Amino acid sequence: MKNVVRHVGGHRWNGVPVLNYKEEGTHFKAISRQILFEGGPKLGAELRYFEIEPGGHSTLERHDHIHSVMVIRGRGHCLVGDTIYEITGNDLISVPTMTWHQFRATTPEPLGFLCLVNIERDRPERPDEANVATLQALPEVGEFIRL
Ligand code: MN
């Protein structure tokens, strides 16, 4: 059997291209995406590796599907719901359904994390003006979020 075990070194894997985080947009910064396991019907899930360079961030968004995240490189912070969390290696982060979330690489090292999602998932929703105002009124969240 081919490709049972794959690894190039560091956070790179054979047959796993380093992709743009999303097709387009200015609502994220300095983040790459690698699809480690594309799942398929027998698994039903997809495992991705995201890496954010220092100063970068993921999109501030929410959606019906959930994220199960594990940090495997560096440190940073994330918003989940109305709270900012400091995150570091081996931390597990659960992003519930329809919950605002954003990851930021807030230290001089990249922030890398695995993210498990259902294969069938809805499109993320970005905050409208009213959502932004609500988030900005929360302690710490206002200064944290990047739009
Ligand atoms: Mn998301």
Side-chain angles (χ1 to χ4, degrees):
M1 287 193 288
K2 278 176 72 176
N3 300 324
V4 172
V5 178
R6 293 173 291 147
H7 188 213
V8 174
H11 298 90
R12 295 290 182 269
W13 296 270
N14 308 75
V16 179
V18 179
L19 305 169
N20 291 330
Y21 170 62
K22 286 178 180 165
E23 295 302 321
E24 55 184 17
T26 57
H27 43 85
F28 54 86
K29 183 182 172 190
I31 175 168
S32 65
R33 172 172 60 105
Q34 296 178 80
I35 303 170
L36 306 183
F37 295 101
E38 285 195 52
K42 287 282 188 191
L43 187 59
E46 208 173 85
L47 185 66
R48 302 89 52 84
Y49 174 70
F50 293 97
E51 198 168 279
I52 311 179
E53 292 166 36
H57 59 86
S58 64
T59 304
L60 173 60
E61 63 180 32
R62 67 180 177 183
H63 34 65
D64 183 60
H65 65 273
I66 65 171
H67 290 313
S68 297
V69 171
M70 182 180 191
V71 178
I72 62 168
R73 181 176 191 186
R75 292 176 293 126
H77 288 81
C78 66
L79 165 72
V80 179
D82 58 7
T83 306
I84 311 298
Y85 300 90
E86 202 175 343
I87 54 174
T88 190
N90 300 322
D91 283 350
L92 299 177
I93 302 137
S94 298
V95 179
T97 185
M98 289 312 287
T99 302
W100 295 113
H101 56 282
Q102 184 167 50
F103 290 81
R104 286 182 51 198
T106 49
T107 77
E109 51 188 328
L111 172 66
F113 55 92
L114 302 171
C115 179
L116 182 66
V117 287
N118 200 290
I119 288 180
E120 291 180 21
R121 54 189 185 274
D122 58 322
R123 268 185 87 82
E125 174 192 338
R126 289 172 54 207
D128 62 18
E129 271 182 45
N131 299 142
V132 170
T134 302
L135 288 164
Q136 281 176 337
L138 297 167
E140 296 184 20
V141 174
E143 303 92 85
F144 180 81
I145 55 173
R146 299 289 180 269
L147 301 171

